[in-house]
Tab-separated table of all heavy atoms in Angstrom:
chain	number	residue	atom	x	y	z
A	1	MET	N	0.840	-1.168	-0.015
A	1	MET	CA	0.010	0.019	-0.008
A	1	MET	C	0.907	1.231	0.019
A	1	MET	O	1.876	1.328	0.705
A	1	MET	CB	-0.908	-0.036	1.231
A	1	MET	CG	-1.934	1.027	1.219
A	1	MET	SD	-3.194	1.020	2.568
A	1	MET	CE	-2.959	-0.450	3.448
A	2	LYS	N	0.525	2.208	-0.795
A	2	LYS	CA	1.320	3.465	-0.880
A	2	LYS	C	1.153	4.303	0.399
A	2	LYS	O	0.063	4.334	0.955
A	2	LYS	CB	0.856	4.274	-2.081
A	2	LYS	CG	0.970	3.592	-3.410
A	2	LYS	CD	0.370	4.395	-4.504
A	2	LYS	CE	0.340	3.597	-5.775
A	2	LYS	NZ	-0.501	4.255	-6.795
A	3	LYS	N	2.242	4.915	0.819
A	3	LYS	CA	2.153	5.766	2.002
A	3	LYS	C	1.277	6.946	1.836
A	3	LYS	O	0.774	7.515	2.824
A	3	LYS	CB	3.550	6.158	2.426
A	3	LYS	CG	4.368	4.987	2.981
A	3	LYS	CD	5.726	5.510	3.483
A	3	LYS	CE	6.506	4.318	4.018
A	3	LYS	NZ	7.781	4.737	4.569
A	4	THR	N	1.110	7.427	0.600
A	4	THR	CA	0.303	8.647	0.395
A	4	THR	C	-1.182	8.389	0.394
A	4	THR	O	-1.975	9.311	0.462
A	4	THR	CB	0.676	9.274	-0.932
A	4	THR	OG1	0.474	8.342	-1.988
A	4	THR	CG2	2.119	9.747	-0.987
A	5	GLU	N	-1.587	7.130	0.379
A	5	GLU	CA	-2.957	6.761	0.396
A	5	GLU	C	-3.540	6.964	1.797
A	5	GLU	O	-2.853	6.754	2.799
A	5	GLU	CB	-3.180	5.353	-0.061
A	5	GLU	CG	-2.888	5.073	-1.503
A	5	GLU	CD	-3.161	3.619	-1.875
A	5	GLU	OE1	-3.302	2.799	-0.976
A	5	GLU	OE2	-3.121	3.373	-3.072
A	6	ASN	N	-4.834	7.278	1.847
A	6	ASN	CA	-5.505	7.417	3.098
A	6	ASN	C	-5.976	6.036	3.533
A	6	ASN	O	-6.092	5.122	2.748
A	6	ASN	CB	-6.712	8.323	2.940
A	6	ASN	CG	-6.287	9.756	2.621
A	6	ASN	OD1	-5.328	10.249	3.208
A	6	ASN	ND2	-6.936	10.361	1.682
A	7	SER	N	-6.399	5.888	4.790
A	7	SER	CA	-6.942	4.673	5.218
A	7	SER	C	-8.368	4.482	4.645
A	7	SER	O	-9.012	5.474	4.255
A	7	SER	CB	-6.992	4.600	6.771
A	7	SER	OG	-8.001	5.485	7.223
A	8	LEU	N	-8.889	3.285	4.682
A	8	LEU	CA	-10.208	3.034	4.207
A	8	LEU	C	-11.234	3.854	4.958
A	8	LEU	O	-12.132	4.451	4.395
A	8	LEU	CB	-10.512	1.547	4.260
A	8	LEU	CG	-11.859	1.086	3.731
A	8	LEU	CD1	-12.016	1.462	2.255
A	8	LEU	CD2	-12.013	-0.420	3.892
A	9	LYS	N	-11.055	3.939	6.242
A	9	LYS	CA	-11.970	4.682	7.117
A	9	LYS	C	-11.959	6.123	6.728
A	9	LYS	O	-13.006	6.777	6.655
A	9	LYS	CB	-11.529	4.524	8.617
A	9	LYS	CG	-12.432	5.191	9.585
A	9	LYS	CD	-11.939	4.929	10.991
A	9	LYS	CE	-12.829	5.646	11.970
A	9	LYS	NZ	-12.411	5.386	13.381
A	10	ASP	N	-10.762	6.746	6.491
A	10	ASP	CA	-10.669	8.117	6.049
A	10	ASP	C	-11.339	8.357	4.759
A	10	ASP	O	-12.090	9.323	4.568
A	10	ASP	CB	-9.218	8.571	6.006
A	10	ASP	CG	-8.494	8.635	7.300
A	10	ASP	OD1	-9.215	8.746	8.333
A	10	ASP	OD2	-7.275	8.628	7.331
A	11	ASN	N	-11.141	7.415	3.809
A	11	ASN	CA	-11.747	7.533	2.495
A	11	ASN	C	-13.272	7.522	2.603
A	11	ASN	O	-13.980	8.384	1.985
A	11	ASN	CB	-11.311	6.409	1.586
A	11	ASN	CG	-9.950	6.630	1.013
A	11	ASN	OD1	-9.290	7.618	1.258
A	11	ASN	ND2	-9.476	5.673	0.256
A	12	LEU	N	-13.824	6.590	3.422
A	12	LEU	CA	-15.288	6.541	3.571
A	12	LEU	C	-15.818	7.803	4.246
A	12	LEU	O	-16.918	8.291	3.836
A	12	LEU	CB	-15.670	5.314	4.330
A	12	LEU	CG	-15.320	3.981	3.664
A	12	LEU	CD1	-15.675	2.828	4.578
A	12	LEU	CD2	-16.043	3.839	2.374
A	13	LYS	N	-15.088	8.344	5.187
A	13	LYS	CA	-15.530	9.589	5.817
A	13	LYS	C	-15.566	10.759	4.799
A	13	LYS	O	-16.502	11.530	4.737
A	13	LYS	CB	-14.579	9.964	6.972
A	13	LYS	CG	-14.945	11.205	7.660
A	13	LYS	CD	-14.009	11.457	8.847
A	13	LYS	CE	-14.415	12.806	9.506
A	13	LYS	NZ	-13.397	13.254	10.454
A	14	LYS	N	-14.492	10.816	3.939
A	14	LYS	CA	-14.446	11.897	2.911
A	14	LYS	C	-15.538	11.743	1.911
A	14	LYS	O	-16.148	12.710	1.472
A	14	LYS	CB	-13.076	11.910	2.264
A	14	LYS	CG	-11.977	12.416	3.154
A	14	LYS	CD	-10.645	12.380	2.502
A	14	LYS	CE	-9.535	12.790	3.431
A	14	LYS	NZ	-8.179	12.732	2.850
A	15	ILE	N	-15.842	10.502	1.532
A	15	ILE	CA	-16.933	10.255	0.586
A	15	ILE	C	-18.233	10.686	1.188
A	15	ILE	O	-19.094	11.364	0.517
A	15	ILE	CB	-17.007	8.757	0.142
A	15	ILE	CG1	-15.746	8.443	-0.684
A	15	ILE	CG2	-18.261	8.439	-0.582
A	15	ILE	CD1	-15.533	6.960	-0.949
A	16	SER	N	-18.449	10.361	2.457
A	16	SER	CA	-19.658	10.832	3.160
A	16	SER	C	-19.770	12.306	3.212
A	16	SER	O	-20.859	12.896	3.020
A	16	SER	CB	-19.652	10.221	4.558
A	16	SER	OG	-20.780	10.668	5.251
A	17	GLU	N	-18.644	13.030	3.409
A	17	GLU	CA	-18.619	14.467	3.428
A	17	GLU	C	-19.027	15.031	2.027
A	17	GLU	O	-19.724	16.054	1.943
A	17	GLU	CB	-17.294	14.997	3.846
A	17	GLU	CG	-16.974	14.762	5.335
A	17	GLU	CD	-15.475	15.033	5.707
A	17	GLU	OE1	-14.712	15.374	4.808
A	17	GLU	OE2	-15.219	14.809	6.881
A	18	ILE	N	-18.523	14.375	0.990
A	18	ILE	CA	-18.861	14.859	-0.369
A	18	ILE	C	-20.392	14.668	-0.610
A	18	ILE	O	-21.036	15.557	-1.143
A	18	ILE	CB	-18.042	14.075	-1.407
A	18	ILE	CG1	-16.568	14.482	-1.347
A	18	ILE	CG2	-18.599	14.300	-2.839
A	18	ILE	CD1	-15.631	13.622	-2.159
A	19	VAL	N	-20.930	13.560	-0.253
A	19	VAL	CA	-22.367	13.305	-0.363
A	19	VAL	C	-23.140	14.373	0.411
A	19	VAL	O	-24.098	14.968	-0.114
A	19	VAL	CB	-22.736	11.879	0.096
A	19	VAL	CG1	-24.263	11.720	0.150
A	19	VAL	CG2	-22.126	10.859	-0.863
A	20	SER	N	-22.707	14.658	1.631
A	20	SER	CA	-23.400	15.655	2.443
A	20	SER	C	-23.312	17.039	1.785
A	20	SER	O	-24.272	17.831	1.830
A	20	SER	CB	-22.789	15.730	3.814
A	20	SER	OG	-22.982	14.552	4.537
A	21	TRP	N	-22.153	17.343	1.194
A	21	TRP	CA	-22.013	18.621	0.533
A	21	TRP	C	-23.034	18.763	-0.583
A	21	TRP	O	-23.696	19.772	-0.724
A	21	TRP	CB	-20.584	18.751	-0.038
A	21	TRP	CG	-20.374	20.069	-0.729
A	21	TRP	CD1	-20.081	21.287	-0.162
A	21	TRP	CD2	-20.464	20.321	-2.117
A	21	TRP	NE1	-19.966	22.274	-1.116
A	21	TRP	CE2	-20.202	21.724	-2.379
A	21	TRP	CE3	-20.776	19.545	-3.242
A	21	TRP	CZ2	-20.240	22.317	-3.600
A	21	TRP	CZ3	-20.760	20.155	-4.518
A	21	TRP	CH2	-20.524	21.503	-4.664
A	22	PHE	N	-23.190	17.705	-1.413
A	22	PHE	CA	-24.148	17.737	-2.521
A	22	PHE	C	-25.577	17.880	-2.004
A	22	PHE	O	-26.378	18.624	-2.548
A	22	PHE	CB	-24.043	16.504	-3.407
A	22	PHE	CG	-23.006	16.616	-4.473
A	22	PHE	CD1	-21.752	16.050	-4.393
A	22	PHE	CD2	-23.281	17.325	-5.627
A	22	PHE	CE1	-20.821	16.137	-5.364
A	22	PHE	CE2	-22.373	17.482	-6.680
A	22	PHE	CZ	-21.107	16.895	-6.485
A	23	GLU	N	-25.890	17.177	-0.905
A	23	GLU	CA	-27.207	17.220	-0.356
A	23	GLU	C	-27.531	18.594	0.243
A	23	GLU	O	-28.696	19.041	0.230
A	23	GLU	CB	-27.390	16.180	0.754
A	23	GLU	CG	-27.406	14.780	0.181
A	23	GLU	CD	-27.429	13.708	1.228
A	23	GLU	OE1	-27.119	13.991	2.424
A	23	GLU	OE2	-27.749	12.541	0.883
A	24	SER	N	-26.553	19.319	0.705
A	24	SER	CA	-26.754	20.622	1.353
A	24	SER	C	-26.740	21.806	0.427
A	24	SER	O	-27.218	22.891	0.789
A	24	SER	CB	-25.749	20.799	2.524
A	24	SER	OG	-24.467	21.040	1.981
A	25	GLU	N	-26.165	21.632	-0.740
A	25	GLU	CA	-26.094	22.712	-1.658
A	25	GLU	C	-27.410	23.031	-2.348
A	25	GLU	O	-28.060	22.126	-2.899
A	25	GLU	CB	-25.024	22.415	-2.769
A	25	GLU	CG	-23.618	22.500	-2.314
A	25	GLU	CD	-23.206	23.829	-1.802
A	25	GLU	OE1	-23.278	24.833	-2.569
A	25	GLU	OE2	-22.775	23.920	-0.690
A	26	THR	N	-27.824	24.278	-2.251
A	26	THR	CA	-29.071	24.687	-2.931
A	26	THR	C	-28.793	25.394	-4.218
A	26	THR	O	-29.563	25.314	-5.160
A	26	THR	CB	-29.886	25.642	-2.008
A	26	THR	OG1	-29.096	26.768	-1.638
A	26	THR	CG2	-30.388	24.911	-0.798
A	27	ASP	N	-27.645	26.057	-4.346
A	27	ASP	CA	-27.242	26.731	-5.545
A	27	ASP	C	-25.884	26.165	-5.937
A	27	ASP	O	-24.823	26.622	-5.553
A	27	ASP	CB	-27.120	28.266	-5.316
A	27	ASP	CG	-26.860	29.061	-6.575
A	27	ASP	OD1	-27.225	28.544	-7.640
A	27	ASP	OD2	-26.299	30.165	-6.478
A	28	LEU	N	-25.928	25.093	-6.712
A	28	LEU	CA	-24.752	24.284	-6.997
A	28	LEU	C	-23.764	25.045	-7.895
A	28	LEU	O	-24.110	25.505	-8.976
A	28	LEU	CB	-25.196	22.957	-7.694
A	28	LEU	CG	-24.196	21.848	-7.744
A	28	LEU	CD1	-23.820	21.424	-6.345
A	28	LEU	CD2	-24.771	20.689	-8.548
A	29	ASP	N	-22.539	25.142	-7.457
A	29	ASP	CA	-21.418	25.691	-8.254
A	29	ASP	C	-20.868	24.501	-9.049
A	29	ASP	O	-20.305	23.563	-8.512
A	29	ASP	CB	-20.340	26.205	-7.283
A	29	ASP	CG	-19.093	26.713	-8.007
A	29	ASP	OD1	-18.966	26.520	-9.207
A	29	ASP	OD2	-18.254	27.329	-7.330
A	30	LEU	N	-21.029	24.542	-10.343
A	30	LEU	CA	-20.639	23.435	-11.218
A	30	LEU	C	-19.159	23.092	-11.161
A	30	LEU	O	-18.796	21.949	-11.198
A	30	LEU	CB	-21.111	23.706	-12.660
A	30	LEU	CG	-22.609	23.663	-12.892
A	30	LEU	CD1	-22.914	23.981	-14.352
A	30	LEU	CD2	-23.226	22.397	-12.477
A	31	GLU	N	-18.329	24.104	-11.092
A	31	GLU	CA	-16.910	23.865	-11.010
A	31	GLU	C	-16.527	23.151	-9.725
A	31	GLU	O	-15.729	22.196	-9.707
A	31	GLU	CB	-16.124	25.195	-11.184
A	31	GLU	CG	-16.159	25.714	-12.562
A	31	GLU	CD	-15.555	27.125	-12.704
A	31	GLU	OE1	-15.216	27.735	-11.663
A	31	GLU	OE2	-15.410	27.563	-13.832
A	32	LYS	N	-17.109	23.612	-8.641
A	32	LYS	CA	-16.873	22.972	-7.338
A	32	LYS	C	-17.430	21.544	-7.335
A	32	LYS	O	-16.819	20.616	-6.821
A	32	LYS	CB	-17.457	23.790	-6.199
A	32	LYS	CG	-17.374	23.195	-4.818
A	32	LYS	CD	-15.980	23.258	-4.283
A	32	LYS	CE	-15.984	22.765	-2.850
A	32	LYS	NZ	-14.694	22.613	-2.290
A	33	ALA	N	-18.624	21.365	-7.967
A	33	ALA	CA	-19.240	20.042	-8.037
A	33	ALA	C	-18.331	19.103	-8.806
A	33	ALA	O	-18.205	17.919	-8.410
A	33	ALA	CB	-20.590	20.171	-8.655
A	34	LEU	N	-17.731	19.543	-9.920
A	34	LEU	CA	-16.889	18.714	-10.680
A	34	LEU	C	-15.629	18.316	-9.911
A	34	LEU	O	-15.221	17.139	-9.962
A	34	LEU	CB	-16.426	19.437	-11.990
A	34	LEU	CG	-15.520	18.706	-12.924
A	34	LEU	CD1	-16.194	17.360	-13.404
A	34	LEU	CD2	-15.162	19.530	-14.088
A	35	GLU	N	-15.064	19.227	-9.119
A	35	GLU	CA	-13.929	18.925	-8.227
A	35	GLU	C	-14.368	17.830	-7.259
A	35	GLU	O	-13.579	16.847	-6.987
A	35	GLU	CB	-13.485	20.137	-7.517
A	35	GLU	CG	-12.782	21.133	-8.334
A	35	GLU	CD	-12.422	22.407	-7.557
A	35	GLU	OE1	-12.327	22.343	-6.299
A	35	GLU	OE2	-12.265	23.471	-8.123
A	36	GLN	N	-15.515	17.929	-6.640
A	36	GLN	CA	-16.010	17.003	-5.655
A	36	GLN	C	-16.197	15.622	-6.324
A	36	GLN	O	-15.857	14.595	-5.740
A	36	GLN	CB	-17.318	17.455	-4.992
A	36	GLN	CG	-17.194	18.727	-4.215
A	36	GLN	CD	-16.559	18.486	-2.841
A	36	GLN	OE1	-15.732	17.590	-2.627
A	36	GLN	NE2	-17.006	19.226	-1.889
A	37	ILE	N	-16.737	15.600	-7.514
A	37	ILE	CA	-17.001	14.310	-8.223
A	37	ILE	C	-15.604	13.662	-8.569
A	37	ILE	O	-15.518	12.444	-8.370
A	37	ILE	CB	-17.786	14.557	-9.544
A	37	ILE	CG1	-19.232	14.982	-9.141
A	37	ILE	CG2	-17.758	13.301	-10.443
A	37	ILE	CD1	-20.042	15.467	-10.330
A	38	LYS	N	-14.662	14.406	-9.007
A	38	LYS	CA	-13.330	13.876	-9.278
A	38	LYS	C	-12.701	13.276	-8.036
A	38	LYS	O	-12.149	12.175	-8.043
A	38	LYS	CB	-12.411	14.915	-9.885
A	38	LYS	CG	-12.705	15.277	-11.284
A	38	LYS	CD	-11.744	16.387	-11.782
A	38	LYS	CE	-12.050	16.794	-13.189
A	38	LYS	NZ	-11.102	17.847	-13.642
A	39	LEU	N	-12.762	14.002	-6.903
A	39	LEU	CA	-12.251	13.557	-5.680
A	39	LEU	C	-12.991	12.287	-5.210
A	39	LEU	O	-12.344	11.316	-4.805
A	39	LEU	CB	-12.316	14.644	-4.576
A	39	LEU	CG	-11.890	14.225	-3.189
A	39	LEU	CD1	-10.433	13.759	-3.176
A	39	LEU	CD2	-12.042	15.343	-2.202
A	40	GLY	N	-14.294	12.270	-5.307
A	40	GLY	CA	-15.088	11.100	-4.905
A	40	GLY	C	-14.748	9.899	-5.760
A	40	GLY	O	-14.583	8.789	-5.189
A	41	ALA	N	-14.566	10.056	-7.032
A	41	ALA	CA	-14.181	8.947	-7.890
A	41	ALA	C	-12.836	8.382	-7.524
A	41	ALA	O	-12.646	7.141	-7.460
A	41	ALA	CB	-14.154	9.376	-9.375
A	42	LYS	N	-11.886	9.283	-7.251
A	42	LYS	CA	-10.554	8.851	-6.779
A	42	LYS	C	-10.576	8.079	-5.483
A	42	LYS	O	-10.023	7.001	-5.344
A	42	LYS	CB	-9.656	10.086	-6.607
A	42	LYS	CG	-8.255	9.727	-6.125
A	42	LYS	CD	-7.446	11.052	-5.900
A	42	LYS	CE	-6.146	10.732	-5.219
A	42	LYS	NZ	-6.059	11.247	-3.890
A	43	LEU	N	-11.444	8.564	-4.561
A	43	LEU	CA	-11.553	7.899	-3.259
A	43	LEU	C	-12.242	6.543	-3.403
A	43	LEU	O	-11.838	5.562	-2.713
A	43	LEU	CB	-12.344	8.771	-2.288
A	43	LEU	CG	-11.664	10.088	-1.885
A	43	LEU	CD1	-12.583	10.987	-1.128
A	43	LEU	CD2	-10.410	9.783	-0.996
A	44	VAL	N	-13.250	6.446	-4.258
A	44	VAL	CA	-13.949	5.161	-4.467
A	44	VAL	C	-12.957	4.172	-5.065
A	44	VAL	O	-12.921	3.001	-4.634
A	44	VAL	CB	-15.144	5.346	-5.367
A	44	VAL	CG1	-15.693	4.033	-5.892
A	44	VAL	CG2	-16.283	6.111	-4.628
A	45	LYS	N	-12.154	4.594	-6.028
A	45	LYS	CA	-11.183	3.693	-6.656
A	45	LYS	C	-10.161	3.169	-5.628
A	45	LYS	O	-9.874	1.993	-5.594
A	45	LYS	CB	-10.457	4.419	-7.775
A	45	LYS	CG	-9.491	3.533	-8.546
A	45	LYS	CD	-8.829	4.277	-9.671
A	45	LYS	CE	-7.809	3.373	-10.345
A	45	LYS	NZ	-7.054	4.080	-11.385
A	46	GLU	N	-9.624	4.130	-4.832
A	46	GLU	CA	-8.671	3.715	-3.762
A	46	GLU	C	-9.327	2.747	-2.796
A	46	GLU	O	-8.698	1.757	-2.410
A	46	GLU	CB	-8.210	4.983	-3.016
A	46	GLU	CG	-7.029	5.620	-3.477
A	46	GLU	CD	-6.650	6.769	-2.540
A	46	GLU	OE1	-6.846	6.767	-1.350
A	46	GLU	OE2	-6.039	7.717	-3.070
A	47	SER	N	-10.537	3.015	-2.426
A	47	SER	CA	-11.272	2.165	-1.463
A	47	SER	C	-11.493	0.772	-1.982
A	47	SER	O	-11.316	-0.230	-1.278
A	47	SER	CB	-12.606	2.783	-1.078
A	47	SER	OG	-12.387	4.052	-0.407
A	48	LYS	N	-11.834	0.662	-3.289
A	48	LYS	CA	-12.028	-0.634	-3.911
A	48	LYS	C	-10.724	-1.410	-3.902
A	48	LYS	O	-10.700	-2.641	-3.606
A	48	LYS	CB	-12.556	-0.481	-5.322
A	48	LYS	CG	-14.003	-0.039	-5.370
A	48	LYS	CD	-14.422	0.284	-6.802
A	48	LYS	CE	-15.005	-0.939	-7.457
A	48	LYS	NZ	-15.580	-0.620	-8.801
A	49	GLU	N	-9.592	-0.759	-4.163
A	49	GLU	CA	-8.305	-1.405	-4.166
A	49	GLU	C	-7.981	-1.896	-2.744
A	49	GLU	O	-7.465	-2.989	-2.588
A	49	GLU	CB	-7.210	-0.462	-4.661
A	49	GLU	CG	-7.337	-0.170	-6.122
A	49	GLU	CD	-6.423	0.943	-6.655
A	49	GLU	OE1	-5.693	1.554	-5.827
A	49	GLU	OE2	-6.456	1.241	-7.884
A	50	LYS	N	-8.247	-1.078	-1.776
A	50	LYS	CA	-7.952	-1.468	-0.351
A	50	LYS	C	-8.827	-2.651	0.035
A	50	LYS	O	-8.332	-3.585	0.743
A	50	LYS	CB	-8.237	-0.297	0.564
A	50	LYS	CG	-7.197	0.806	0.437
A	50	LYS	CD	-7.586	1.980	1.343
A	50	LYS	CE	-6.942	3.251	0.947
A	50	LYS	NZ	-5.614	3.413	1.417
A	51	LEU	N	-10.075	-2.613	-0.339
A	51	LEU	CA	-10.973	-3.745	0.018
A	51	LEU	C	-10.483	-5.042	-0.702
A	51	LEU	O	-10.595	-6.093	-0.040
A	51	LEU	CB	-12.415	-3.418	-0.437
A	51	LEU	CG	-13.164	-2.415	0.449
A	51	LEU	CD1	-14.491	-2.005	-0.180
A	51	LEU	CD2	-13.376	-2.972	1.860
A	52	LYS	N	-9.969	-4.930	-1.916
A	52	LYS	CA	-9.491	-6.105	-2.557
A	52	LYS	C	-8.234	-6.665	-1.790
A	52	LYS	O	-8.105	-7.843	-1.606
A	52	LYS	CB	-9.098	-5.775	-4.003
A	52	LYS	CG	-8.746	-6.960	-4.859
A	52	LYS	CD	-9.919	-7.852	-5.012
A	52	LYS	CE	-9.584	-9.011	-5.950
A	52	LYS	NZ	-10.636	-10.037	-5.967
A	53	GLU	N	-7.382	-5.780	-1.372
A	53	GLU	CA	-6.221	-6.136	-0.574
A	53	GLU	C	-6.627	-6.829	0.698
A	53	GLU	O	-6.042	-7.886	1.090
A	53	GLU	CB	-5.346	-4.937	-0.212
A	53	GLU	CG	-4.605	-4.347	-1.386
A	53	GLU	CD	-3.885	-3.022	-1.008
A	53	GLU	OE1	-3.738	-2.760	0.185
A	53	GLU	OE2	-3.474	-2.314	-1.950
A	54	ILE	N	-7.628	-6.281	1.388
A	54	ILE	CA	-8.126	-6.906	2.614
A	54	ILE	C	-8.719	-8.257	2.337
A	54	ILE	O	-8.476	-9.218	3.074
A	54	ILE	CB	-9.153	-5.974	3.273
A	54	ILE	CG1	-8.458	-4.700	3.789
A	54	ILE	CG2	-9.901	-6.668	4.404
A	54	ILE	CD1	-9.421	-3.582	4.229
A	55	GLU	N	-9.473	-8.387	1.254
A	55	GLU	CA	-10.092	-9.667	0.869
A	55	GLU	C	-8.974	-10.684	0.642
A	55	GLU	O	-9.092	-11.845	1.093
A	55	GLU	CB	-10.957	-9.489	-0.377
A	55	GLU	CG	-11.597	-10.775	-0.865
A	55	GLU	CD	-12.393	-10.612	-2.150
A	55	GLU	OE1	-12.183	-9.632	-2.855
A	55	GLU	OE2	-13.169	-11.501	-2.433
A	56	ASN	N	-7.912	-10.291	-0.036
A	56	ASN	CA	-6.791	-11.237	-0.328
A	56	ASN	C	-6.123	-11.668	0.991
A	56	ASN	O	-5.742	-12.836	1.117
A	56	ASN	CB	-5.810	-10.567	-1.266
A	56	ASN	CG	-6.365	-10.460	-2.644
A	56	ASN	OD1	-7.316	-11.154	-3.080
A	56	ASN	ND2	-5.800	-9.533	-3.436
A	57	GLU	N	-6.019	-10.749	1.923
A	57	GLU	CA	-5.400	-11.091	3.217
A	57	GLU	C	-6.285	-12.116	3.975
A	57	GLU	O	-5.777	-13.077	4.529
A	57	GLU	CB	-5.183	-9.841	4.100
A	57	GLU	CG	-4.058	-8.974	3.647
A	57	GLU	CD	-3.823	-7.807	4.570
A	57	GLU	OE1	-3.806	-7.980	5.803
A	57	GLU	OE2	-3.640	-6.685	4.036
A	58	PHE	N	-7.595	-11.947	3.903
A	58	PHE	CA	-8.491	-12.875	4.577
A	58	PHE	C	-8.380	-14.256	3.895
A	58	PHE	O	-8.406	-15.280	4.608
A	58	PHE	CB	-9.950	-12.398	4.506
A	58	PHE	CG	-10.334	-11.492	5.670
A	58	PHE	CD1	-10.636	-10.154	5.435
A	58	PHE	CD2	-10.369	-11.942	6.946
A	58	PHE	CE1	-11.005	-9.303	6.478
A	58	PHE	CE2	-10.662	-11.117	8.019
A	58	PHE	CZ	-10.995	-9.787	7.794
A	59	LYS	N	-8.254	-14.266	2.603
A	59	LYS	CA	-8.121	-15.544	1.912
A	59	LYS	C	-6.867	-16.256	2.341
A	59	LYS	O	-6.831	-17.465	2.509
A	59	LYS	CB	-8.125	-15.344	0.374
A	59	LYS	CG	-9.506	-15.000	-0.162
A	59	LYS	CD	-9.446	-14.800	-1.672
A	59	LYS	CE	-10.866	-14.472	-2.189
A	59	LYS	NZ	-10.854	-14.189	-3.648
A	60	GLU	N	-5.791	-15.496	2.463
A	60	GLU	CA	-4.519	-16.091	2.938
A	60	GLU	C	-4.655	-16.682	4.376
A	60	GLU	O	-4.152	-17.744	4.634
A	60	GLU	CB	-3.392	-15.075	2.872
A	60	GLU	CG	-2.901	-14.714	1.503
A	60	GLU	CD	-2.367	-15.944	0.767
A	60	GLU	OE1	-1.553	-16.707	1.361
A	60	GLU	OE2	-2.714	-16.149	-0.410
A	61	ILE	N	-5.256	-15.907	5.216
A	61	ILE	CA	-5.502	-16.364	6.570
A	61	ILE	C	-6.361	-17.664	6.576
A	61	ILE	O	-6.064	-18.589	7.309
A	61	ILE	CB	-6.155	-15.270	7.447
A	61	ILE	CG1	-5.171	-14.116	7.614
A	61	ILE	CG2	-6.625	-15.815	8.811
A	61	ILE	CD1	-5.809	-12.864	8.233
A	62	LYS	N	-7.375	-17.645	5.773
A	62	LYS	CA	-8.249	-18.803	5.657
A	62	LYS	C	-7.540	-20.080	5.219
A	62	LYS	O	-7.751	-21.141	5.737
A	62	LYS	CB	-9.415	-18.519	4.776
A	62	LYS	CG	-10.504	-19.560	4.721
A	62	LYS	CD	-11.641	-19.148	3.827
A	62	LYS	CE	-12.696	-20.208	3.670
A	62	LYS	NZ	-13.752	-19.851	2.771
A	63	LYS	N	-6.574	-19.884	4.266
A	63	LYS	CA	-5.789	-20.995	3.781
A	63	LYS	C	-5.002	-21.625	4.927
A	63	LYS	O	-4.794	-22.786	5.012
A	63	LYS	CB	-4.795	-20.540	2.712
A	63	LYS	CG	-5.355	-20.432	1.342
A	63	LYS	CD	-4.247	-20.177	0.367
A	63	LYS	CE	-4.679	-19.439	-0.847
A	63	LYS	NZ	-3.536	-19.086	-1.691
A	64	ASP	N	-4.456	-20.759	5.828
A	64	ASP	CA	-3.599	-21.225	6.879
A	64	ASP	C	-4.367	-21.979	7.950
A	64	ASP	O	-3.822	-22.743	8.741
A	64	ASP	CB	-2.858	-20.027	7.536
A	64	ASP	CG	-1.822	-19.419	6.609
A	64	ASP	OD1	-1.372	-20.091	5.645
A	64	ASP	OD2	-1.427	-18.247	6.850
A	65	LEU	N	-5.705	-21.726	8.021
A	65	LEU	CA	-6.506	-22.414	9.011
A	65	LEU	C	-6.839	-23.788	8.469
A	65	LEU	O	-7.094	-24.710	8.934
A	65	LEU	CB	-7.804	-21.645	9.282
A	65	LEU	CG	-7.593	-20.261	9.931
A	65	LEU	CD1	-8.919	-19.525	10.036
A	65	LEU	CD2	-6.958	-20.388	11.297
């Protein structure tokens, strides 16, 4: 795992904050919205990779049992 990556918990928190931002905006700034979407997509991709790593670790542990 890269040192610059956030933890899965941090990523999920940031994704939740992005969702809350969209829900609270009444006059949406399209440029800001695009930035939020890009960040959200990056966080989702990172989170999927982390979940795959965790799944692989569980499979290795299961083999040892």
Side-chain angles (χ1 to χ4, degrees):
M1 188 174 355
K2 299 174 190 170
K3 289 184 179 183
T4 58
E5 290 181 349
N6 297 316
S7 72
L8 182 59
K9 183 178 178 179
D10 291 339
N11 283 358
L12 294 176
K13 182 179 177 190
K14 288 178 183 177
I15 291 168
S16 178
E17 288 169 0
I18 291 170
V19 170
S20 294
W21 181 83
F22 273 101
E23 291 174 343
S24 68
E25 287 298 302
T26 55
D27 188 24
L28 196 63
D29 176 352
L30 292 179
E31 290 173 350
K32 176 72 174 172
L34 181 59
E35 288 176 24
Q36 295 282 33
I37 290 168
K38 287 179 182 179
L39 176 58
K42 177 182 171 249
L43 293 169
V44 167
K45 183 179 177 184
E46 268 185 29
S47 297
K48 288 173 93 174
E49 290 170 358
K50 288 176 200 278
L51 286 171
K52 188 65 176 171
E53 289 174 14
I54 292 169
E55 179 183 17
N56 290 338
E57 286 184 45
F58 274 114
K59 286 180 181 178
E60 287 299 315
I61 293 169
K62 187 177 175 182
K63 277 188 207 177
D64 292 340
L65 296 175

